[in-house]
Every structure is written in C-alpha cells, then in structure tokens.
C-alpha cells in the first residue's frame, strides 16, 4: 500500500547548483510567516509570496529554519534581495 505524500513535501530550491530539500517543516514555517506578514516586509505594498533568508544558506545553513533570519517578501523584492547576495535568480 502506498502512502499519500503532500505535494509540498518535495519543495526544493536551488542554491549554487545544490538542491536543498525543504520539506514539511519549512512549508509550515513559511506559511505561518507569510500569514503573519501578509504584505511584503521590504516594500510593504505587495502581498508576501515568498520567504527570503537574510543570511544566505550557503553562508550559514544552520539558520535555515530560524525565524529571525527570514523575511516574508513579494517576488519582485525577493529577486532584488537575491541579486544583492550575488545569486542568480531564475523564475
């Protein structure tokens, strides 16, 4: 018998060519942060669609789930912030 898996359990992100599995804990934390901050924490205008790591994961992976290292942001602001970290953002 196959067990049902949430489609969110397979949520992944590219960080310098390495795949980081985020999983259910990240999905819940991300959703809670975006619910608590419905508007982008950077521009304050657009809805928060994404979550940004202030200290990039490749610098300190231990901060992956630390709410103090996270910002609920809109896609445009997230792209701007990621470019500021020297990352290429592909959407």
């Amino acid at each position: 018998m196959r067990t049902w898996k949430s489609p969110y359990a397979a949520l992944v992100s590219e960080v310098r060519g390495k795949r980081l599995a985020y999983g259910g804990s990240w999905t819940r934390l991300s959703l809670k942060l975006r619910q608590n901050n419905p508007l982008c924490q950077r521009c304050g205008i657009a809805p928060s669609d994404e979550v940004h790591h202030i200290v990039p994961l490749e610098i300190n992976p231990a901060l992956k789930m630390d709410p103090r290292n996270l910002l609920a942001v809109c896609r445009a602001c997230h792209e701007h912030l990621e470019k500021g970290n020297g990352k290429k953002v592909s959407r």
Side-chain angles (χ1 to χ4, degrees):
M1 178 179 198
R2 297 180 67 152
T3 58
W4 181 83
K5 290 186 179 180
S6 166
Y8 301 106
L11 186 64
V12 295
S13 178
E14 291 289 333
V15 176
R16 288 195 180 183
K18 297 178 184 174
R19 293 177 70 89
L20 296 177
Y22 277 72
S25 295
W26 168 257
T27 302
R28 287 185 295 278
L29 178 61
S30 172
L31 180 62
K32 182 177 179 180
L33 181 67
R34 289 180 285 124
Q35 285 175 337
N36 290 341
N37 300 281
L39 294 178
C40 176
Q41 289 183 282
R42 183 173 178 270
C43 70
I45 299 169
S48 59
D49 305 317
E50 303 179 5
V51 175
H52 173 71
H53 289 90
I54 299 165
V55 176
L57 296 180
E58 60 266 17
I59 292 174
N60 191 346
L63 296 176
K64 175 181 172 182
M65 300 290 287
D66 187 340
R68 297 169 297 182
N69 188 47
L70 304 174
L71 287 175
V73 293
C74 66
R75 178 171 287 189
C77 286
H78 198 195
E79 288 182 6
H80 178 80
L81 290 166
E82 291 293 311
K83 287 178 185 173
N85 287 334
K87 295 181 185 178
K88 292 181 182 176
V89 178
S90 58
R91 300 276 177 210

